[in-house]
Amino acid sequence: MSLKLPDSGAETLPDGRRMVASAARNAGPILEVLQGLGLRGRLLEIASGSGLHAAHMAGPLGLIWQPSDVDETNFPSIRAWAAHAGVGILPPVLLDATQAGWAARLGQWDAIVLTNLLHLIAEPAAKTLLAELPKALAPGGAACLYGPFLRDGRATSAGDAAFDASLRAQDPAIGYKDLGWVGNRLAGAGMTVAITAMPANNLMLVARHSHS
Ligand SMILES: C[S@@+](CC[C@H](N)C(=O)[O-])C[C@H]1O[C@@H](n2cnc3c(N)ncnc32)[C@H](O)[C@@H]1O
């Protein structure tokens, strides 16, 4: 992704781990929410990026953690974070979550985590991702989507308005998605969504199959 983001200049440590400040900041609060969900089994992380979240969360959650990303240049950092954590993190796999059909290819997961991607992709791509998500989630599982959202079509802080505008200036097709729009797509796919307010005005959406 060639977008200019607040963390674009993240430091790489000598062992290959990319130290992304925002991921280090939000890992604790995200883990806290995930720990409250009673997750077990196998977790697919979409858009793992540096791999810092995997290293921070896989151990405490006691899950088999499958990192993935569309960009293979992230894999050395993901592998380095996994080695550093020394827990059950599988080697990263290539996944473009905006391409129809990935759920059938990767099978079903007990949990899925996606942090900070929806605002960086175009609406049709987000639609495809949100349509694949329920297919990749096993009955009884939880899909956890974290990031910034518009509410009733509006950014709800000056910082969000500025970040959203900076994204749209780089690519008019991308930018924050509306909470209602995302919720409707998941509900339309038969999912029930619980929303948790997170630090820095972000949200965590936890979606489960309505009849599981
Ligand atoms: C802002 S980073 C977030 C990384 C990590 N989830 C975090 O919160 O620190 C966005 C990540 O999404 C990945 N990405 C972009 N488009 C994607 C796609 N279509 N499918 C899967 N991953 C994608 C990028 O390569 C990048 O690693």
Side-chain angles (χ1 to χ4, degrees):
M1 178 181 310
S2 56
L3 292 170
K4 193 170 177 325
L5 300 172
D7 277 322
S8 290
E11 177 196 5
T12 302
L13 302 179
D15 66 0
R17 284 177 293 152
R18 229 171 52 247
M19 186 58 75
V20 179
S22 62
R25 269 196 310 274
N26 61 34
I30 292 172
L31 174 60
E32 214 172 294
V33 175
L34 299 188
Q35 281 177 318
L37 299 176
L39 305 176
R40 52 183 62 207
R42 298 184 323 132
L43 178 148
L44 172 67
E45 182 185 24
I46 300 170
S48 298
S50 64
L52 188 154
H53 281 161
H56 190 83
M57 300 184 206
L61 288 170
L63 297 166
I64 298 167
W65 190 289
Q66 175 64 72
S68 72
D69 204 281
V70 73
D71 182 355
E72 266 180 299
T73 65
N74 285 316
F75 288 9
S77 178
I78 294 172
R79 290 194 194 100
W81 271 111
H84 179 78
V87 293
I89 300 172
L90 300 170
V93 294
L94 201 57
L95 170 60
D96 182 347
T98 67
Q99 291 295 316
W102 64 259
R105 182 166 59 86
L106 291 187
Q108 291 200 318
W109 300 80
D110 303 301
I112 301 176
V113 167
L114 170 66
T115 63
N116 284 324
L117 176 62
L118 289 178
H119 56 299
L120 306 180
I121 57 178
E123 196 170 292
K127 261 188 200 173
T128 305
L129 190 159
L130 293 169
E132 289 290 313
L133 207 58
K135 299 180 203 161
L137 189 66
C144 309
L145 286 72
Y146 167 93
F149 294 88
L150 301 176
R151 300 172 217 179
D152 296 325
R154 298 210 178 117
T156 52
S157 76
D160 281 308
F163 184 33
D164 186 32
S166 85
L167 293 173
R168 291 176 199 274
Q170 294 178 66
D171 179 350
I174 66 170
Y176 284 26
K177 304 297 174 287
D178 189 65
L179 175 61
W181 182 83
V182 174
N184 284 340
R185 304 218 74 79
L186 293 168
M191 307 201 88
T192 302
V193 182
I195 302 166
T196 303
M198 302 295 288
N201 210 28
N202 289 307
L203 297 175
M204 174 73 87
L205 277 50
V206 178
R208 296 177 184 273
H209 293 295
S210 299
H211 300 297
S212 65

